[in-house]
Amino acid sequence: MMVLITYDVSFEDGNGQARLRRIAKLCQDYGTRVQYSVFECDVEPAQWVRLKAGLLALFDDNIDSLRFYILGKNWRAKVEHHGAKRALDLFADTIII
């Protein structure tokens, strides 16, 4: 299923930059960065449970924000892209070795 993850990490405290790096790294482990704080993640349900739990453990719910948009398996009909950065087709652009 496709999940769009967005986040906003506050730098109000001294740990903001470290939290931002850890959140981005975890998202990169599961998906593709499409904008600075936006990731498209095509995950199986068990992967989604681990990813979501990991993100919720990393962010500070008093000053940070996480949003999850669950687009499901038929996500292609729900996503429209315009502009310079070509959208990655996770299936057509993948080389299987």
Side-chain angles (χ1 to χ4, degrees), residues 45-57:
Q47 291 175 308
W48 170 235
V49 169
R50 286 191 303 274
L51 173 56
K52 183 177 177 183
L55 291 170
L56 292 174

Side-chain angles (χ1 to χ4, degrees), residues 27-58:
C27 287
Q28 276 183 311
D29 289 346
Y30 287 88
T32 303
R33 183 187 299 254
V34 293
Q35 292 185 358
Y36 289 115
S37 296
V38 181
F39 282 82
E40 290 178 347
C41 301
D42 190 17
V43 292
E44 296 297 324
Q47 291 175 308
W48 170 235
V49 169
R50 286 191 303 274
L51 173 56
K52 183 177 177 183
L55 291 170
L56 292 174
L58 289 173

Side-chain angles (χ1 to χ4, degrees), residues 2-4 34 40 69-82 87-89:
M2 178 63 71
V3 179
L4 185 74
V34 293
E40 290 178 347
Y69 300 88
I70 300 171
L71 301 176
K73 290 185 179 190
N74 298 319
W75 61 272
R76 281 185 182 84
K78 300 174 186 175
V79 176
E80 187 174 320
H81 176 263
H82 302 274
L88 174 68
D89 184 331

Side-chain angles (χ1 to χ4, degrees), residues 59-79:
F59 95 120
D60 182 335
D61 64 345
N62 292 311
I63 55 177
D64 299 335
S65 173
L66 277 172
R67 287 181 180 246
F68 306 125
Y69 300 88
I70 300 171
L71 301 176
K73 290 185 179 190
N74 298 319
W75 61 272
R76 281 185 182 84
K78 300 174 186 175
V79 176

